[in-house]
């Protein structure tokens, strides 16, 4: 009898990757679901199995999110109005802090005439730090925007007038 249970524990260990007696299975890489470099080596049946596994993983994640929402609902049911209000205030303060930082980044970007797409890249917690970062970013942007090629004076307007006929062009060439 004892041997039978030990084999069941071993089977569970092999399937989940956990230690005997419980524990959590090893966490997988979140980028593993996006498709990897070795997917094309799996063949047709391997790709089908992989797609099925990813579908199952996605549905389990959705079920987990729904279960967590249900748990949160039960936890919130037992809270007093004061606790609910304090949680709401804390979340609003966190949101307010994030919005103020974002507004400050955009304000510094406008003041320094930094392109809007680069405003999110500014880093710093104070206005001075953001301005210093914007200055260094502007130097990088201006260096990259400078043309490395000198203009060709023979192109465009200027230079000698173009000949009107082939014979004029040939005679101008041999002069």
């Amino acid at each position: 009898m004892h041997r039978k249970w030990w084999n069941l524990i071993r089977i569970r260990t092999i399937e989940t990757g956990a230690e005997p007696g419980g524990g959590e299975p090893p966490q997988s890489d979140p980028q593993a679901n996006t498709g990897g470099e070795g997917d094309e080596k799996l063949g047709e049946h391997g790709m089908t199995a992989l797609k099925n596994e990813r579908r199952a993983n996605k549905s389990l994640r959705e079920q987990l999110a729904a279960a967590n929402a249900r748990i949160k609902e039960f936890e919130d049911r037992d809270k007093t109005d004061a606790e609910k209000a304090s949680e709401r205030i804390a979340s609003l303060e966190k949101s307010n802090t994030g919005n103020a930082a974002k507004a400050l980044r955009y304000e510094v970007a406008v003041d320094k005439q930094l392109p809007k797409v680069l405003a999110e890249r500014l880093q710093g917690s104070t206005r001075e730090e953001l301005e210093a970062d914007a200055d260094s970013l502007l130097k990088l942007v201006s260096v990259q925007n400078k043309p490395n090629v000198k203009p060709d004076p023979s192109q465009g307007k200027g230079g000698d007038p173009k000949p009107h006929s082939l014979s004029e062009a040939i005679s101008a060439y041999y002069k």
Side-chain angles (χ1 to χ4, degrees):
M1 179 78 167
H2 175 70
R3 184 168 261 232
K4 178 182 171 185
W5 288 106
W6 178 249
N7 287 337
L8 288 176
I9 290 173
R10 263 186 87 165
I11 291 171
R12 184 172 146 244
T13 304
I14 292 169
E15 288 176 355
T16 63
E19 293 296 321
E24 294 181 10
Q27 298 294 324
S28 63
D29 185 15
Q31 295 179 350
N33 292 338
T34 61
E37 300 167 358
D39 285 358
E40 58 274 354
K41 296 178 185 177
L42 295 176
E44 182 179 338
H45 296 294
M47 287 300 294
T48 304
L50 183 63
K51 287 177 185 177
N52 290 339
E53 189 65 31
R54 287 181 179 163
R55 240 182 274 123
N57 188 0
K58 182 179 178 184
S59 68
L60 288 174
R61 287 181 189 269
E62 291 170 355
Q63 289 176 3
L64 179 63
N68 285 339
R70 186 92 168 125
I71 290 171
K72 178 79 171 142
E73 187 179 301
F74 281 121
E75 289 174 352
D76 289 346
R77 181 183 65 183
D78 296 334
K79 290 183 181 177
T80 65
D81 290 337
E83 290 174 337
K84 290 179 185 177
S86 66
E87 283 184 4
R88 180 165 167 75
I89 289 171
S91 68
L92 289 174
E93 286 175 348
K94 183 178 177 184
S95 173
N96 184 29
T97 304
N99 290 337
K102 188 175 183 179
L104 184 59
R105 277 196 304 270
Y106 278 111
E107 190 176 312
V108 169
V110 167
D111 289 346
K112 297 289 184 173
Q113 297 178 348
L114 192 67
K116 183 180 176 183
V117 295
L118 296 177
E120 282 294 321
R121 296 185 182 265
L122 293 178
Q123 296 184 4
S125 56
T126 64
R127 183 175 190 87
E128 292 78 24
E129 291 173 355
L130 289 171
E131 287 175 347
D133 192 34
D135 289 337
S136 64
L137 194 56
L138 274 173
K139 287 177 187 174
L140 289 174
V141 171
S142 65
V143 166
Q144 290 180 354
N145 288 338
K146 288 184 181 177
N148 294 341
V149 179
K150 294 180 180 176
D152 186 1
S154 67
Q155 295 181 350
K157 293 187 178 183
D160 295 330
K162 293 183 179 179
H164 296 289
S165 68
L166 181 60
S167 60
E168 288 178 11
I170 293 173
S171 64
Y173 180 75
Y174 286 110
K175 284 186 183 178

